[in-house]
Amino acid sequence: MAERSLTLMAVHAHPDDEATSTGGILARYAAEGVTTVLVTCTDGRCGDGPGGVKPGDDGHDPQAVVAMRQAELAASCEALKVTHLETLDYADSGMMGWATNDAPGAFWNTPVDEAADRLAELIRRHRPDVVVTYDENGFYGHPDHIQAHRITMAAVERTGIPAKVYWTTVPQSAFQEFGKVMQEIGVEFPEPDAADEMPALGLPDDEITTWVDTRAHGGQKFASLAAHASQAENIFFLRLGQERFTELMGMETFVRVRDSTGAPTPEDDLFAGLR
């Protein structure tokens, strides 16, 4: 009987989320013969429509946006050579505080147990050795990212199947370089409101457990991001060009939060201790 291949599962909130923080690992591990599974929790209906029309504006057709983004997601998966795409198809909740947070069928408005049951079924089917998702703040506070974190951790606890679980992060040492690059390409971010208690993004470098070099797959990661052309206005990194993008985004970093292998940290491989 053939030995089962190692399996990686990445759980993301929206179409296009897979590209930025995990496009490199999805491409790298697929090339190494690992079975890769992408779970996308929402349909992306709160994204931009054709021509950049914004949600809530005249001419924004959520169902048309869903169809467009599903096609883009399929193209992204092809670029990354993802083995299996699974979609939970909850309604995109929009940004925190939007009325869409409370809409019927919105992911943020879905009981965690209900969604975790569905994800647990996928975990039992695919039996991932490694699961990757967001931290408890969804990295930057998006409700659907927070919900993806919650259902993933609940599903992992229910199944007990993954040997290792990781949360995506960014080293704080990288933010200064990110800021310089954003200035170079003309991207300006509004000053945060002092009333907003936004947790600091990323982690100190010495708290990051796992540094995975994915530069050899920078072209695939860039192509994955470019596949989401309808959201290009919000995908700032496309303006860098592939070479500069790979230099800036070629190291993907994680915090290991569950482990049964005893592999020492820091590590440079999500499958350390499993092969």
Side-chain angles (χ1 to χ4, degrees):
M1 189 172 178
E3 185 178 348
R4 186 185 73 89
S5 70
L6 291 168
T7 300
L8 166 68
M9 175 181 283
V11 183
H12 281 290
H14 311 99
D16 78 24
D17 288 332
E18 78 287 344
T20 307
S21 60
T22 59
I25 58 166
L26 288 168
R28 170 180 163 166
Y29 289 119
E32 293 179 5
V34 172
T35 298
T36 54
V37 182
L38 170 62
V39 180
T40 302
C41 296
T42 79
D43 57 13
R45 67 178 57 216
C46 289
D48 290 355
V53 63
K54 303 296 181 185
D57 288 352
D58 290 343
H60 187 277
D61 180 348
Q63 290 304 321
V65 172
V66 168
M68 176 177 63
R69 298 196 72 184
Q70 288 302 307
E72 291 175 340
L73 180 60
S76 169
C77 287
E78 175 59 29
L80 299 174
K81 304 304 178 189
V82 168
T83 314
H84 302 288
L85 170 63
E86 302 282 2
T87 55
L88 298 184
D89 293 325
Y90 290 107
D92 185 345
S93 309
M95 299 300 287
M96 191 68 81
W98 288 13
T100 46
N101 293 176
D102 300 317
F107 189 37
W108 181 244
N109 200 28
T110 299
V112 169
D113 283 348
E114 175 188 318
D117 280 344
R118 294 183 61 199
L119 182 58
E121 181 181 338
L122 294 177
I123 290 175
R124 293 187 185 102
R125 182 188 312 165
H126 293 289
R127 304 196 67 80
D129 302 279
V130 172
V131 169
V132 177
T133 192
Y134 316 103
D135 63 19
E136 59 266 64
N137 186 52
F139 183 63
Y140 71 100
H142 193 295
D144 287 331
H145 289 230
I146 294 170
Q147 187 77 328
H149 162 85
R150 290 173 176 171
I151 74 162
T152 301
M153 300 312 294
V156 164
E157 288 302 316
R158 287 176 197 192
T159 62
I161 289 172
K164 304 175 86 174
V165 176
Y166 294 89
W167 297 343
T168 60
T169 192
V170 173
Q172 288 179 349
S173 64
F175 279 106
Q176 187 173 4
E177 182 63 22
F178 284 153
K180 289 178 184 175
V181 170
M182 292 299 102
Q183 282 187 329
E184 286 176 23
I185 61 178
V187 175
E188 295 184 7
F189 295 102
E191 288 295 320
D193 189 330
D196 293 337
E197 295 185 10
M198 181 75 176
L201 297 179
L203 288 173
D205 292 32
D206 61 1
E207 293 182 22
I208 293 174
T209 63
T210 312
W211 305 69
V212 184
D213 187 345
T214 67
R215 287 173 293 182
H217 301 277
Q220 286 175 265
K221 182 171 177 173
F222 188 82
S224 166
L225 203 58
H228 297 284
S230 69
Q231 309 306 305
E233 181 181 329
N234 300 314
I235 303 176
F236 312 116
F237 298 115
L238 288 175
R239 305 181 201 178
L240 297 173
Q242 181 178 311
E243 184 176 349
R244 189 78 188 281
F245 172 84
T246 298
E247 290 174 7
L248 188 68
M249 305 290 288
M251 184 70 72
E252 293 184 351
T253 49
F254 306 89
V255 175
R256 193 174 81 190
V257 295
R258 179 186 176 102
D259 173 62
S260 63
T261 70
T265 58
E267 59 188 2
D268 60 5
D269 178 11
L270 297 179
F271 291 91
L274 290 168
R275 56 182 177 180

